[in-house]
Amino acid sequence: MLRSLLRKYPFRSTPILLRFLHHPNPKPPDESTAAATVSYIRSSCGLSLSAALSAAKEVHLKSTANPDAVLALLKGHGFTRPQIANLVSKNPALLAARPEKTIKPKLEFFAGIGYTGANLGKLISSDPRLLSTSLEERIVRNFDLLKTLLGSPAAVIAAIAGSSRLLRCNLSTVVLPNLQTLRDHGVPAPKIVMLVSWYPRVLMNKPDRFTETVKLLKGMGLKPMWTKFILAINAMSGLTAATWERKLAVYRSLGWSENETLMAFTKHPNCMLSSDKKIRKVMEFFVKKMNWKPAFVAAEPRLLGFSLEKRTIPRCSVLSILESKGVMSRKWGVHTFLLISEKDFLENYVIKYGKQIPEVLEAYQGKLEFVGLQARYRRSQWKSAIAEEFNRRSS
């Protein structure tokens, strides 16, 4: 075997092969070096014993000179001790990196585009691979390309906050094909910028799957120029086929037809991202406490996204008090008290009636138990709401 290899790879390969045969495995660190490494990582980087033991398996420190220089550089750029601990636990080999050549230029680049102090530490500690990615060949090129696409450094920073992988991945093989798909299907430039800024992870899906998602959403009647189209891309990209079927089953068990669920999704895509538990809890409240038909909630799916404890129940409690005092018309609609802004709700209901009806403030603060509304939402009203939605979609 050895003789045949020598014949195939003569002269230059011989010393390499002999060295390989002489040292088949790298020499493990001695016990004193391992113990010193663990001690250093614990005392200088703030890791727990278990984390330090794990880190010491990946880096062996025979001297503290280099790791001291690395840590001094990080501290000099505003990294906090917890951020350094998090960074070293994720990437112990960083302690052996060349501080001046490998680390410092990248820290200076990020500081130059607006990341300083704890913000810089947060970025790097959350994604340590940024420090091992080529600065000129990948990080700077990607940043400049994203700046051209999004229009400003601030927009790029917003996108990076959503996924720092944008600076590490090969944009030409993943992100750019997906952006081209959006253009080909008529998504206007401002909406593309919105998607990159809000949901950058979505653009890192495989191009064939991304294209399939865009086509599917257009087939469901969503228009590429709508903001809802961007929301739907994000929602659909985060759901597997099995999860989508499970969500349909959950809504079906709560009284929605499949058409009503699809209608709700096209109107408010995030309704498919709520947990099964929250969906059931919110629907139970509206059906049992508010006496609403499931079909009415399906026509206003934004209601499912609100916090029961922080928004829905306090507002409904205020409404119940006002209705019991006879100052609230029975012709109220869902838009008037659940969908309006917090500022408008406070002005129109809490502040307006708070002085003459003290219970209003107590109800808003959650100090009164909400037992439900006596009056049902009129059948004609929820039928009208559904008919209005279908007419809007067909127009």
Side-chain angles (χ1 to χ4, degrees), residues 254 281-298 303 308 312 316 319-320 323 330 332 334 337-338 370-383:
L254 296 170
K281 187 177 181 181
V282 172
M283 284 298 297
E284 180 181 17
F285 174 83
F286 286 132
V287 172
K288 293 185 177 180
K289 296 292 187 179
M290 298 295 289
N291 293 314
W292 286 352
K293 299 290 184 180
F296 175 74
V297 185
L303 299 174
L308 270 179
T312 302
C316 290
L319 177 67
S320 178
E323 190 180 57
R330 291 292 180 87
W332 47 263
V334 65
F337 68 98
L338 281 181
F370 177 69
V371 296
L373 291 173
Q374 296 179 351
R376 287 181 177 271
Y377 201 96
R378 296 175 184 173
R379 185 178 180 84
S380 60
Q381 285 178 298
W382 65 261
K383 271 193 168 184

Side-chain angles (χ1 to χ4, degrees), residues 311-326:
R311 184 180 185 122
T312 302
I313 293 177
R315 292 193 181 192
C316 290
S317 296
V318 169
L319 177 67
S320 178
I321 296 297
L322 294 177
E323 190 180 57
S324 68
K325 298 297 183 179

Side-chain angles (χ1 to χ4, degrees), residues 16 42 131 142 181 224-225 248 268-269 301 364 372-373:
I16 298 174
R42 291 194 69 191
L131 292 182
N142 283 12
T181 294
M225 68 284 301
L248 291 178
H268 184 63
Y364 183 71
L373 291 173

Side-chain angles (χ1 to χ4, degrees), residues 80 140-142 155 209 218 281 293 311 335:
T80 64
V140 173
R141 285 188 178 185
N142 283 12
R209 184 187 175 191
K218 289 182 71 175
K281 187 177 181 181
K293 299 290 184 180
R311 184 180 185 122
H335 289 84

Side-chain angles (χ1 to χ4, degrees), residues 222-294:
L222 283 161
K223 306 298 183 184
M225 68 284 301
W226 293 348
T227 298
K228 285 183 287 188
F229 193 83
I230 301 304
L231 299 177
I233 290 177
N234 175 62
M236 188 69 78
S237 297
L239 297 172
T240 64
T243 303
W244 178 267
E245 291 299 325
R246 193 185 76 242
K247 294 294 182 184
L248 291 178
V250 169
Y251 282 118
R252 188 164 53 246
S253 71
L254 296 170
W256 292 22
S257 68
E258 185 166 329
N259 283 338
E260 286 170 340
T261 304
L262 294 177
M263 178 189 74
F265 172 75
T266 58
K267 191 172 185 181
H268 184 63
N270 287 346
C271 72
M272 296 298 275
L273 296 180
S274 296
S275 69
D276 298 357
K277 181 179 179 180
K278 180 178 182 180
I279 292 170
R280 294 184 185 280
K281 187 177 181 181
V282 172
M283 284 298 297
E284 180 181 17
F285 174 83
F286 286 132
V287 172
K288 293 185 177 180
K289 296 292 187 179
M290 298 295 289
N291 293 314
W292 286 352
K293 299 290 184 180

Side-chain angles (χ1 to χ4, degrees), residues 73-74 77-79 87 94 102-136 138-144 146 153-154 156-161 163-169:
L73 185 59
L74 295 176
H77 279 79
F79 283 61
L87 178 57
L94 178 69
T102 302
I103 301 175
K104 186 178 179 180
K106 296 180 180 105
L107 297 181
E108 291 179 342
F109 170 78
F110 287 116
I113 63 174
Y115 284 95
T116 57
N119 289 331
L120 176 58
K122 181 180 178 181
L123 172 70
I124 301 299
S125 63
S126 65
D127 189 357
R129 283 183 290 178
L130 286 172
L131 292 182
S132 57
T133 301
S134 171
L135 178 61
E136 297 298 331
R138 185 56 55 85
I139 294 176
V140 173
R141 285 188 178 185
N142 283 12
F143 184 86
D144 290 342
L146 290 169
V156 179
I157 291 175
I160 294 171
S163 178
S164 56
R165 280 183 59 201
L166 285 172
L167 294 178
R168 293 191 288 104
C169 72

Side-chain angles (χ1 to χ4, degrees), residues 330-385:
R330 291 292 180 87
K331 295 181 179 180
W332 47 263
V334 65
H335 289 84
T336 57
F337 68 98
L338 281 181
L339 298 180
I340 61 175
S341 69
E342 191 70 13
K343 178 177 178 293
D344 288 342
F345 183 81
L346 282 170
E347 290 180 354
N348 295 330
Y349 297 99
V350 180
I351 296 174
K352 181 178 180 179
Y353 298 106
K355 290 185 179 180
Q356 65 184 85
I357 308 174
E359 295 98 315
V360 166
L361 183 58
E362 294 181 64
Y364 183 71
Q365 294 174 339
K367 296 179 180 179
L368 298 180
E369 180 183 2
F370 177 69
V371 296
L373 291 173
Q374 296 179 351
R376 287 181 177 271
Y377 201 96
R378 296 175 184 173
R379 185 178 180 84
S380 60
Q381 285 178 298
W382 65 261
K383 271 193 168 184
S384 174

